[in-house]
């Protein structure tokens, strides 16, 4: 699935859902592999009644952690709790690939 300007971000996001609604069993909203090509981003957004974790598989970028930017690369894990926000920008020259898990509160 290709999402243009995800959460108001630049470019597009390639999302491969790994589990469907039935498997998520009402406990999670998303479990997916996400690819951001160079120059693409997931725009800053807040989470309400849910949390989100990213696990960076490959590539590098800048993660906006509730207003504080920090570099991320392969092996890094981010966590955005309920009531906070985040965004992710691929600032590298290769694809930024990550796993995204949204858990409902």
């Amino acid at each position: 699935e290709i999402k243009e300007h995800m959460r108001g971000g630049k470019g597009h996001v390639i999302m491969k859902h790994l589990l469907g609604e039935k498997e998520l069993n009402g406990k999670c909203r998303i479990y997916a592999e996400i690819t951001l090509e160079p120059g693409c981003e997931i725009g800053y957004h807040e989470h309400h009644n849910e949390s989100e974790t990213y696990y960076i598989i490959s590539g590098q970028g800048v993660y906006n952690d509730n207003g504080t930017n920090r570099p991320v690369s392969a092996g890094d894990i981010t966590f955005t709790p309920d009531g906070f926000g985040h965004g992710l920008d691929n600032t590298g020259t290769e694809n930024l690939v990550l796993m995204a898990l949204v858990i409902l509160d």
Side-chain angles (χ1 to χ4, degrees), residues 1-3 12-16 33-37:
E1 173 182 13
I2 296 177
K3 293 190 172 218
H12 61 272
V13 170
I14 302 165
M15 184 179 291
K16 178 181 176 183
E33 179 185 276
I34 295 177
T35 301
L36 298 171
E37 294 175 340

Side-chain angles (χ1 to χ4, degrees), residues 22-97:
K22 181 180 178 186
E23 294 85 7
L24 295 174
N25 197 27
K27 295 178 178 23
C28 297
R29 188 167 57 82
I30 293 173
Y31 180 54
E33 179 185 276
I34 295 177
T35 301
L36 298 171
E37 294 175 340
C40 295
E41 70 178 344
I42 299 171
Y44 181 85
H45 60 283
E46 293 182 353
H47 286 271
H48 300 284
N49 301 313
E50 63 186 23
S51 61
E52 185 166 24
T53 300
Y54 290 162
Y55 173 71
I56 310 298
I57 296 171
S58 63
Q60 60 185 10
V62 173
Y63 178 73
N64 180 337
D65 186 1
N66 207 50
T68 300
N69 290 328
R70 64 180 172 96
V72 291
S73 59
D76 288 342
I77 297 173
T78 69
F79 177 72
T80 304
D82 180 27
F84 290 85
H86 64 155
L88 181 61
D89 187 2
N90 181 349
T91 56
T93 58
E94 299 177 3
N95 287 348
L96 174 57
V97 180

